[in-house]
Amino acid sequence: MLLSANRTTESETAPSETARSETSSAELAPADTPPYRYTAQLAEHIERTWQQHWESEGTFHAPNPVGELAAEPGSSAAKRAQGPKLFVQDMFPYPSGAGLHVGHPLGYIATDVYARFARMNGRNVLHTLGYDAFGLPAEQYAVQTGQHPAITTEHNIATMRSQLRALGLGHDSRRSIATTDPGYYRWTQWIFLQIFNSWYDEEQDKARPIDELVEQLRLGARLTPDGTPWEQLSAQQQRQIINDRRLAYLSEAPVNWCPGLGTVLSNEEVTADGRSERGNFPVFKRNLRQWMMRITAYADRLVDDLALLDWPESVTLMQRNWIGRSHGARVDFATVNETTAEGAAATPPISVFTTRPGTIFGCNSVVLAPEHLLVNTLLPPHWPDGTPPHWTGGADTPTDAVERYRAAAAAVSAVDRQATGRAKTGVFTGGFALNPVNGQRLPIFIADYVLMGYGSGAVMGVPGEDERDWEFSERFELPIIRTVQPPEGFDGEAYEGDGVMINSDFLNGLPWPQAKQAMIDWLSEHGHGAGTVTYKLRDWLFSRQRYWGEPFPIVYDDDDQPIALNDAQLPVLLPEVDEYSPVTYEPHDAATEPAPPLAKAADWVSVELDLGEGVKTYRRDVNVMPNWAGSCYYQLRYIDPANSDQLCDPVNERYWMGPEPLRHGADDPGGVDLYVGGVEHAVLHLLYARFWHKVLYDLGHVGSTEPYRRLFNQGYIQAPAYTDSRGTYVSASEVVEIDGGFSWQGQPVRREYGKMGKSLKNVVTPEQMCGEYGADTFRVYEMGMGPLEASRPWESRAVVGAHRFLQRLWRVVLDEQTGTPRITDAAANRLTGQLLHRTIEGVRADMVGLRFNTAIAKLIELTNHVTVTYPNAAPREVAEAMVLMVAPLAPHIAEELWQRLGHAESLTYAPFPQADPQLLIAETIEYPVQVNGKVRGRITVPADADEASVRAAALADEKVAGYVGASAPKKVIVIPGRIVTVVV
RNA sequence: GUCCGAGUGGCGAAAUGGCAGACGCGCCAGACUUAGGAUCUGGUGCCCUUAACGGGCGUGCGGGUUCAACUCCCGCCUCGGACACCA
C-alpha cells in the first residue's frame, strides 16, 4: 500500500515511515542531524524498499506480443505494450568470482538511465542482463577453488545479481539467462546444427539448407568437384563432398596450438606477438583436425553491411581492417626448369595475387612462401648455370637450400618474425617463371616474408612500387625498374603512391588506377589471370580442448565422419568428469597433443543411438565450443527466454529486433536499439555475432539482418595506484595526500593510473560507495563524472558532490525536520519557469544523446536556483518536474519523493516533463558587444528587436562608444540572439 | 611503421565557428557547532593593478582562413588504442 502525502503518518508499510523511525534513532544520526536528512542510512533504506516494490510489482517486466511473456489483457503491462518498443542491451558479463568494482557497472547504469528515460516517454522497454559463464576463466577459477565450475559459476552469478540489484537496475528478471544453463545451451547447440546443416550458395549469396545442395547434386543441377556424376560416387565420397561444403566443417589444417592452455585458439584470440590473449602463453602452428566455421563466406556482407550500422567509426574501421578485403588480380606465371637433359621442361604454373597488376612490367622475380605446395615441383637437381653464390644460401643443391631455409624459418619464433626492421631473407629455388606480359625469365625464390595464409602464398616482385620487394631486390641484386612515375623530387626507394605508368609498354601514360583495370582486362583476355578479391579474414576455428563449454551435438561412426544429432536429442549435456581441469603442458613444448577432458568420460563418449539406421554405437565429439558461442545470439533468448519450442518466436523477434524503416530509414537492418559495452569486443564478439545472425537470417529464423543496430562504447574507469620506493603496490585506500605529494604510513609513494584490481591494490567497490552515500549517489556520480565514452580516473572523495546534489533536491521537496512536503501550489515566477523549461529541453536532448554528465549539470543548476529562490516552499510544478527529471538517474530517491508528493503510482511510467515552447523564449536578450574581438560591453534589448535596433543599441552603449571613438566603425555584425561584433 | 582517437584551471570536465572554463571535486572565507572528515552561504583560470574600477595573458606547439577559432585548414610534438612483412 502506497501512501498519499497528506496521510503520511497513517501508513505502516510505506518506505517513508520506516525511514523516519530508523533515521530518528540516535545511533543512526548524530544529534544535530535533522531526522529526515537524506543520509546514506536513509538512502539505503529507501533503496531497499523500492527495489522490493519494483520486484513484487514486476515494474520492469516488458510484455512480448505473443507467448509466455505476453501481457494479460487489461493489465498495466498490456497498456505498456501499446507504445513503441525499445530494446536496450549491455554486453554480456562474465560472472567473476572476484566480485564487482566501481568500474564494472558504468555501462549498466547508463543503459538503465536510458531505458528508464524511454519508459517515461511511453516506450515498451526490453532491458535485462544475463551471464556469459562458460569459458576459460570460469574453469580456471573452479580449478583454483577446487570446486566444480557449475557450482562456482552459479555462486558467482548469485553474488553478482545481488550486487547489481543494489544499484536499482530496472532489469526484466524473467529474461535473465546464463549460457551454462542446459536450457540455454541447447539453443547454442541447435544453432550449431543449423550452421552445420547449411552451405553457402554463391549465386544466391546466402546460406541454404544442406539438403538443397544434396538435391542439386543428385539431379545434376550442380556438378561434383571433379565432375563425376553423383550416383557413381560411393556413399562415403558423397558424404565427404557434402561435409566439405558445410558452414561448420572439420578441417585438418595448421591451427594455433597453445600448450600452456592445452587448447587450440582462433586467430582472433592470438596476439600480434604470437601469444594467447588469455594467459599470454606461446602459440604454435600445428596441423590438427578441428572444427571451423565458414565465416569467410560472409566476408563481403560483413564488410558491406557495416555501412548500415549506427556504430562508432573506430569499430567499423577495425572490422573492416580485420576482414581486410582487397581488390586485385590473380596472375598465372608459367614456370620452367632449365636443368633437365632436354633443356627446358614445363613445371606447373604459379598463381600470384597482386593489388597492383598494372606494375607487372617491373616484375623481377616470383617469391613463394616457404611452405608453398609447388616449391618441390620446381627444384632442379643442381643450380642453373650462372646462379649467383649468394642466392643459394650456401647449399650445394636447390633441394638442400630449400630444406635448410625451411628449417631455419620454422625455428624463428613468432616474436622474432615480427621484429621490426628484420632483414629480408630467402633462397633461390633454381626454377624460373615467365612474365606473361613480355615472356621475361624471372627467378623463383622462397622467402618467409611471403605468407602462406594470404592470397595464394605467392607474390610477384615489383620493387619499384613495393618496399618489401625493393628490400628483397637489393638483397639479391635483382634489377629494379620503376613503372609508376614518382613525383618530382621524390628521393625514396619504392614509390607506393599514385602516378602515371612508365616503362610499361601499352600501359605507358595511363594513370595508375586505369592501368590496373587495363591490365586485369588484358590478363583475362589472354588467359593469364583474372580480377579477384582477397581477404585477411580466415575461417573461425571453433573447437577447444577444455571442459567448461558447450559439447558439440555431433557423433562419429566408424568412418570418422561427423554426424549431426537430431534436434530432439538436444541438449547434449556436459558429462560429469573426475578431472575437469584440462591437460596443459610446458608452455614452450610445441610437440604436444591436445587431450580434451571430455575424452576421459568413456561412458559418455560412447553412445547408442538410432539416427535413422537403427540403433548403433557412436562416438561423441569430445571438443567443446569456444566461449564466444553463447554470446553470439543471446539477444534472441532475451526476447523469448522461456520458449522451449523455438529459439525465439518470429513474431517476438520481429517486434523487438525487426527493421523499422519508418523510424530508421529504408536501409534499416534492424537489431537491438542500443548496445553498450567496451571497445575490446570490436572484432571478436561483434564479428562472430554478426556472422551467426546473418546465417539465422538466411535460414529464415530472424527478420533482422544485423544483431546490433546502434553500438556505443563506454569508457573505462581508471584508478590511481601507489607504489613505494621498492616499486611495490601499497593499499590505495590508506594513501593520504600531503602538500601535493602522496604518503602511505609515513613514507612517500608514487601515484600511477591503471586498471582497478587486486594486483594494484586499488579496488573500490559499489558496496563501499553505497554504504557511504547510497546507490543513487553512486549512480549520479558515475554518470556525472564525464562523457560516457571517455575513460577517466576514479576519485572517491569527489562522490560527495553527487550526494550534496541529491540532499539539496530532497530539501527542495521535503522538510528535513518532519519529512513532509514543503511546497506550494503557487505558480513559479517567470525566471524560474524559464529556467525550468530550458532545463527540460536540455535534459531531454542530453538523455537522448547519452550525455548524462551535462544533463546532471543542468539539473544541479536548476536545483541550486530553486534552493536559493524558494528557501521555504518551492512551487509544486517545479518540484515535481525536478523529481521526474532526476528519476532515470536516481530512481529510488525520485520514487520516494514522488510518493511523498502524493502520487500513488510508481513514476516509472509517469510522463517525462515536456518543455513549454512559450517559456523557452525570453522577453529580453542580453548581447555581449565585442570591439575588435574583445568583449567591451553588454546591452539588453527586447527579444523581438530587429537587427538595426540591436546595432544601434550596441553603438550607443557608453563603454562600446569609448572604444569605437568618433569615426564610424568599419563593420558591425549582429548574430541574432548571440553577439554583436564591431570592427574599427 | 601504418591507421584511429585525445591534449582546456590544482583535478574530473563544459562550450563543435559567436561571452572559454557551465557543473562537480579541491582550496579560501564565513555560518552552525563541544567538535567538524556532516551541512549551509559566498569566493576561486593565471598575471598586473586598484580603496573601488580596470587592464593584460590564456584551450599541447608553430603557421593559416575568418569580423570572430578550443572548434575549420596545413605542419609538428606528446599520450592512449588498434593493426603490424596482408602483396
Side-chain angles (χ1 to χ4, degrees):
Chain A
M1 181 182 91
L2 298 177
L3 70 164
S4 86
N6 325 344
R7 298 189 294 113
T8 46
T9 49
E10 290 167 23
S11 168
E12 291 181 359
T13 57
S16 45
E17 270 320 289
T18 358
R20 188 177 68 167
S21 62
E22 278 192 23
T23 49
S24 52
S25 69
E27 69 266 39
L28 281 176
D32 63 343
T33 301
Y36 282 90
R37 170 154 295 172
Y38 182 73
T39 60
Q41 288 80 11
L42 179 56
E44 197 198 345
H45 178 77
I46 292 171
E47 285 160 10
R48 265 209 315 269
T49 309
W50 282 101
Q51 283 154 17
Q52 267 158 26
H53 176 86
W54 294 329
E55 187 176 286
S56 61
E57 296 292 309
T59 304
F60 306 113
H61 290 185
N64 274 353
V66 300
E68 237 172 276
L69 301 189
E72 298 270 330
S75 66
S76 61
K79 211 168 67 195
R80 244 175 270 158
Q82 306 291 309
K85 64 86 190 181
L86 184 80
F87 191 175
V88 178
Q89 188 169 307
D90 302 281
M91 281 191 190
F92 227 5
Y94 156 70
S96 157
L100 297 181
H101 61 65
V102 290
H104 289 118
L106 184 73
Y108 307 150
I109 296 170
T111 47
D112 186 50
V113 175
Y114 188 76
R116 285 175 181 273
F117 175 70
R119 286 190 193 97
M120 296 176 78
N121 284 290
R123 307 287 291 262
N124 183 24
V125 179
L126 197 173
H127 190 204
T128 189
L129 190 73
Y131 297 88
D132 189 16
F134 271 134
L136 280 175
E139 193 178 274
Q140 283 163 343
Y141 182 75
V143 170
Q144 253 169 50
T145 56
Q147 275 183 305
H148 193 279
I151 295 168
T152 52
T153 300
E154 196 181 333
H155 177 254
N156 292 351
I157 289 174
T159 307
M160 190 161 163
R161 277 214 172 100
S162 78
Q163 281 188 298
L164 291 177
R165 185 190 135 99
L167 301 180
L169 303 176
H171 293 158
D172 185 343
S173 52
R174 304 168 307 167
R175 297 175 185 267
S176 180
I177 49 96
T179 52
T180 48
D181 183 344
Y184 182 88
Y185 72 72
R186 169 197 169 171
W187 295 106
T188 316
Q189 293 171 337
W190 181 85
I191 295 173
F192 176 84
L193 289 181
Q194 291 292 312
I195 298 171
F196 178 77
N197 285 321
S198 303
W199 61 293
Y200 204 83
D201 183 340
E202 304 290 346
E203 282 151 39
Q204 294 188 14
D205 203 19
K206 61 182 273 202
R208 297 173 62 189
I210 199 83
D211 293 346
E212 296 178 15
L213 176 65
V214 177
E215 187 67 7
Q216 286 195 358
L217 288 165
R218 203 175 56 78
L219 295 173
R222 188 174 285 268
L223 294 179
T224 58
D226 64 356
T228 312
W230 183 247
E231 58 279 4
Q232 287 176 22
L233 296 167
S234 71
Q236 201 190 346
Q237 285 170 320
Q238 289 178 350
R239 254 169 87 190
Q240 187 62 56
I241 288 171
I242 297 299
N243 285 345
D244 285 347
R245 296 297 298 272
R246 293 178 189 274
L247 289 186
Y249 62 98
L250 281 166
S251 133
E252 177 92 28
V255 296
N256 305 302
W257 163 238
C258 180
L261 291 172
T263 185
V264 296
L265 298 169
S266 73
N267 292 332
E268 290 81 0
E269 288 169 308
V270 179
T271 60
D273 51 353
R275 289 176 161 261
S276 61
E277 194 171 59
R278 188 165 288 283
N280 201 31
F281 293 112
V283 170
F284 302 90
K285 284 284 178 195
R286 283 285 308 273
N287 264 311
L288 293 167
R289 193 177 190 224
Q290 298 292 333
W291 282 104
M292 306 292 284
M293 288 243 169
R294 207 177 299 279
I295 191 172
T296 50
Y298 283 82
D300 274 320
R301 285 163 66 187
L302 289 169
V303 177
D304 293 339
D305 289 356
L306 287 170
L308 308 178
L309 297 171
D310 181 8
W311 280 21
E313 194 66 36
S314 59
V315 176
T316 54
L317 195 72
M318 279 160 73
Q319 293 221 344
R320 224 170 245 126
N321 291 341
W322 189 265
I323 296 166
R325 178 167 66 187
S326 44
H327 298 268
R330 188 198 80 232
V331 185
D332 299 325
F333 286 77
T335 61
V336 287
N337 176 329
E338 299 187 343
T339 55
T340 52
E342 297 83 44
T347 44
I350 291 171
S351 288
V352 307
F353 174 71
T354 174
T355 54
R356 309 192 62 135
T359 61
I360 194 168
F361 285 99
C363 179
N364 65 7
S365 57
V366 168
V367 188
L368 308 186
E371 320 85 299
H372 196 286
L373 290 173
L374 292 181
V375 172
N376 288 344
T377 71
L378 297 168
L379 306 176
H382 52 83
W383 295 113
D385 291 342
T387 299
H390 64 290
W391 285 17
T392 64
D396 293 336
T397 66
T399 308
D400 208 21
V402 165
E403 258 171 41
R404 277 207 229 166
Y405 185 76
R406 281 179 174 162
V412 177
S413 74
V415 183
D416 293 342
R417 222 183 137 148
Q418 307 291 346
T420 47
R422 188 168 157 255
K424 294 280 175 290
T425 61
V427 288
F428 180 43
T429 61
F432 291 90
L434 298 177
N435 191 332
V437 293
N438 58 14
Q440 212 181 346
R441 231 165 115 261
L442 306 169
I444 303 173
F445 289 80
I446 59 170
D448 66 1
Y449 81 91
V450 178
L451 308 174
M452 194 55 228
Y454 183 76
S456 58
V459 303
M460 60 181 209
V462 280
E465 290 75 36
D466 186 291
E467 264 177 45
R468 296 155 305 180
D469 294 343
W470 182 288
E471 261 184 72
F472 192 78
S473 297
E474 288 205 314
R475 165 81 174 74
F476 291 98
E477 293 170 16
L478 294 160
I480 294 174
I481 300 167
R482 290 192 189 279
T483 56
V484 177
Q485 180 65 56
E488 217 168 302
F490 178 80
D491 62 351
E493 299 182 329
Y495 172 68
E496 299 184 344
D498 272 3
V500 168
M501 304 308 294
I502 52 171
N503 303 323
S504 293
D505 198 315
F506 61 89
L507 298 178
N508 281 336
L510 285 178
W512 144 251
Q514 277 158 279
K516 175 175 177 175
Q517 193 50 55
M519 183 50 73
I520 291 174
D521 293 345
W522 188 92
L523 289 166
S524 339
E525 217 172 286
H526 294 81
H528 292 305
T532 181
V533 180
T534 305
Y535 306 86
K536 269 163 71 178
L537 183 72
R538 314 292 158 77
D539 278 343
W540 175 16
L541 189 142
F542 195 71
S543 40
R544 302 288 182 276
Q545 291 73 47
R546 306 285 297 205
Y547 172 73
W548 194 232
E550 300 89 344
F552 281 77
I554 292 288
V555 294
Y556 301 86
D557 62 10
D558 300 334
D559 287 347
D560 210 28
Q561 287 290 323
I563 302 167
L565 297 179
N566 304 318
D567 292 352
Q569 289 161 324
L570 304 182
V572 176
L573 295 174
L574 199 50
E576 288 301 319
V577 294
D578 297 332
E579 190 57 58
Y580 45 78
S581 62
V583 178
T584 56
Y585 300 94
E586 202 286 308
H588 294 273
D589 191 355
T592 43
E593 287 288 331
L598 296 191
K600 289 177 282 185
D603 292 351
W604 178 84
V605 171
S606 173
V607 58
E608 305 223 320
L609 291 168
D610 184 348
L611 293 172
E613 301 175 2
V615 176
K616 280 173 56 179
T617 302
Y618 295 92
R619 181 170 50 80
R620 287 193 193 274
D621 194 297
V622 293
N623 293 289
V624 295
M625 299 186 197
N627 61 327
W628 308 104
S631 58
C632 273
Y633 72 101
Y634 63 121
Q635 60 279 352
L636 297 174
R637 287 304 281 177
Y638 281 172
I639 286 173
D640 224 346
N643 195 332
S644 52
D645 302 326
Q646 283 172 294
L647 172 64
C648 66
D649 193 302
V651 174
N652 290 332
E653 188 273 334
R654 276 156 187 77
Y655 173 73
W656 289 111
M657 289 181 71
E660 292 180 274
L662 293 179
R663 196 181 272 271
H664 300 287
D667 287 343
D668 182 29
V672 169
D673 292 289
L674 175 66
Y675 191 32
V676 174
V679 71
E680 74 272 21
H681 292 113
V683 174
L684 291 151
H685 158 60
L686 288 171
L687 197 62
Y688 297 152
R690 294 181 63 218
F691 163 49
W692 275 34
H693 200 85
K694 286 183 185 305
V695 177
L696 292 172
Y697 173 81
D698 286 352
L699 299 177
H701 299 301
V702 297
S704 40
T705 56
E706 285 283 338
Y708 313 115
R709 178 193 290 118
R710 180 182 179 198
L711 175 71
F712 189 95
N713 291 129
Q714 100 259 359
Y716 292 94
I717 291 187
Q718 319 240 252
Y722 302 88
T723 50
D724 64 14
S725 54
R726 299 164 303 167
T728 310
Y729 286 100
V730 303
S731 178
S733 58
E734 296 166 27
V735 171
V736 289
E737 191 171 353
I738 299 169
D739 304 328
F742 299 95
S743 160
W744 176 76
Q745 296 189 350
Q747 48 170 308
V749 289
R750 271 194 30 196
R751 181 168 68 172
E752 56 186 69
Y753 283 93
K755 271 190 168 173
M756 209 171 258
K758 271 184 192 157
S759 53
L760 301 191
K761 294 190 183 171
N762 60 353
V763 174
V764 182
T765 66
E767 283 87 342
Q768 285 172 291
M769 290 304 110
C770 290
E772 221 167 309
Y773 301 106
D776 281 333
T777 296
F778 175 64
R779 291 169 59 110
V780 170
Y781 174 67
E782 289 229 333
M783 293 300 100
M785 62 200 288
L788 190 60
E789 65 272 24
S791 292
R792 54 238 126 127
W794 177 263
E795 195 180 2
S796 287
R797 70 176 180 181
V799 180
V800 70
H803 193 60
R804 288 179 191 147
F805 160 53
L806 294 181
Q807 278 187 332
R808 275 200 296 277
L809 173 70
W810 178 268
R811 258 196 306 273
V812 164
V813 180
L814 300 179
D815 186 310
E816 285 191 319
Q817 295 299 328
T818 64
T820 53
R822 18 152 278 178
I823 57 168
T824 160
D825 287 328
N829 64 35
R830 175 96 190 159
L831 190 64
T832 304
Q834 282 175 351
L835 178 60
L836 171 64
H837 286 266
R838 273 209 310 277
T839 304
I840 292 171
E841 187 81 346
V843 169
R844 273 190 168 273
D846 287 345
M847 290 268 179
V848 171
L850 300 171
R851 295 184 301 269
F852 304 126
N853 54 329
T854 49
I856 289 167
K858 291 178 175 83
L859 289 167
I860 292 175
E861 262 179 290
L862 176 62
T863 306
N864 292 349
H865 168 86
V866 172
T867 300
V868 175
T869 309
Y870 299 101
N872 299 313
R876 175 177 283 269
E877 52 166 327
V878 180
E880 294 204 336
M882 286 165 66
V883 169
L884 290 172
M885 282 194 282
V886 96
L889 293 153
H892 312 89
I893 187 175
E895 289 272 24
E896 183 71 15
L897 292 173
W898 189 241
Q899 184 192 82
R900 285 176 184 263
L901 282 165
H903 299 277
E905 297 242 339
S906 160
L907 50 57
T908 305
Y909 296 95
F912 200 87
Q914 292 276 1
D916 177 354
Q918 294 290 308
L919 284 161
L920 292 176
I921 306 160
E923 58 267 46
T924 60
I925 298 177
E926 189 191 69
Y927 281 92
V929 183
Q930 282 185 349
V931 180
N932 286 348
K934 296 209 185 298
V935 177
R936 298 298 188 184
R938 283 167 197 287
I939 56 167
T940 301
V941 298
D944 55 1
D946 61 11
E947 235 179 274
S949 46
V950 173
R951 177 194 169 105
L955 292 174
D957 184 77
E958 214 176 285
K959 281 191 201 143
V960 174
Y963 281 96
V964 173
S967 54
K970 277 189 198 142
K971 212 173 193 179
V972 181
I973 301 152
V974 177
I975 310 295
R978 285 285 189 179
I979 198 168
V980 181
T981 297
V982 182
V983 187
V984 290

